[in-house]
Amino acid sequence: GAGVSQSPSNKVTEKGKDVELRCDPISGHTALYWYRQSLGQGLEFLIYFQGNSAPDKSGLPSDRFSAERTGGSVSTLTIQRTQQEDSAVYLCASSSGVSYTDTQYFGPGTRLTVL
Amino acid sequence: GENVEQHPSTLSVQEGDSAVIKCTYSDSASNYFPWYKQELGKGPQLIIDIRSNVGEKKDQRIAVTLNKTAKHFSLHITETQPEDSAVYFCAAGPDTGRRALTFGSGTRLQVQP
């Protein structure tokens, strides 16, 4: 079946511009995560959605970052007024369970480059 | 919060040899420890995980060991093959609630044919 998809695969933007990154989770998965992977680093948790519950935004690095999930499916991560330090690969994952220890299925990521 | 350290950052082995990657964690409340494999251009994929009530878990050529007293856990790959070449990440976290996993910085494994 179809896995987690993300778009675009690559995004180059200028400093100060806003960007939107999209994630399509596996159909039926109630949990959705966003992570950031900087060069040579591990995955940094950003935000977690579970069903209709309020999202866990504890990992968002600043108020320039926001995310929404419409209809319990597709999610969009928005970065406003991008900075060069925002350059990274942004990964989305989905899971069928209610705990983050349930297997997370990752998408291929969006590579963001801020010039 | 949790802090996970992973070593080595790069590892090169000959095909058929064993590979060992080690991680330490700081939060004694952590009791779930997954390992992910990330191939070039793809997202990470869960390969094995272990919970604190178990000291060792095996799945074919892959095994994970956990020492909760010392707060470290390791990934062991035996009879390595070129297709094992990838970046491997460890992670740690409590297995209840909605707290997020904390990931190590990754190990790039290269298996030389």
Side-chain angles (χ1 to χ4, degrees):
Chain A
V4 177
S5 61
Q6 293 186 243
S7 61
S9 55
N10 281 284
K11 176 70 177 179
V12 180
T13 190
E14 294 179 347
K15 178 181 173 181
K17 296 287 181 68
D18 298 351
V19 296
E20 286 189 351
L21 312 180
R22 177 186 169 105
C23 172
D24 282 89
I26 293 173
S27 178
H29 279 192
T30 58
L32 187 148
Y33 304 79
W34 282 98
Y35 295 90
R36 179 169 68 176
Q37 184 176 26
S38 302
L39 188 63
Q41 301 296 314
L43 282 69
E44 175 190 5
F45 166 76
L46 297 177
I47 189 168
Y48 162 64
F49 295 90
Q50 175 59 261
N52 295 320
S53 301
D56 179 350
K57 304 179 182 180
S58 60
L60 294 178
S62 77
D63 58 8
R64 297 186 295 105
F65 288 72
S66 63
E68 62 177 23
R69 189 178 185 192
T70 54
S73 181
V74 172
S75 178
T76 302
L77 177 69
T78 300
I79 308 173
Q80 296 179 310
R81 305 181 302 281
T82 52
Q83 303 295 312
Q84 289 183 332
E85 59 263 30
D86 298 334
S87 296
V89 175
Y90 289 82
L91 291 160
C92 172
S94 72
S95 169
S96 62
V98 297
S99 168
Y100 70 86
T101 64
D102 295 306
T103 301
Q104 297 180 30
Y105 296 87
F106 283 83
T110 294
R111 181 175 298 277
L112 174 66
T113 302
V114 182
L115 302 177
Chain B
E2 177 65 276
N3 180 48
V4 177
E5 295 192 357
Q6 183 171 348
H7 300 281
S9 56
T10 60
L11 179 60
S12 182
V13 300
Q14 290 294 125
E15 182 176 358
D17 288 350
S18 295
V20 180
I21 302 170
K22 299 181 179 181
C23 288
T24 61
Y25 62 98
S26 61
D27 188 349
S28 57
S30 289
N31 48 19
Y32 174 65
F33 308 93
W35 286 88
Y36 288 83
K37 176 183 181 182
Q38 185 174 27
E39 297 176 337
L40 193 62
K42 298 183 179 180
Q45 180 179 12
L46 179 70
I47 55 172
I48 195 168
D49 57 15
I50 192 168
R51 297 173 192 266
S52 62
N53 57 344
V54 175
E56 183 177 2
K57 184 176 179 180
K58 287 184 178 180
D59 183 3
Q60 299 182 337
R61 296 186 297 108
I62 294 173
V64 57
T65 58
L66 171 65
N67 183 328
K68 282 218 75 178
T69 302
K71 295 198 187 72
H72 65 71
F73 57 111
S74 301
L75 177 71
H76 303 253
I77 306 174
T78 59
E79 301 173 19
T80 53
Q81 301 168 3
E83 52 264 38
D84 294 329
S85 296
V87 178
Y88 292 81
F89 292 96
C90 63
D95 67 3
T96 57
R98 286 167 50 183
R99 286 180 56 190
L101 291 169
T102 302
F103 284 80
S105 55
T107 296
R108 182 174 297 280
L109 174 64
Q110 182 69 43
V111 180
Q112 305 289 347

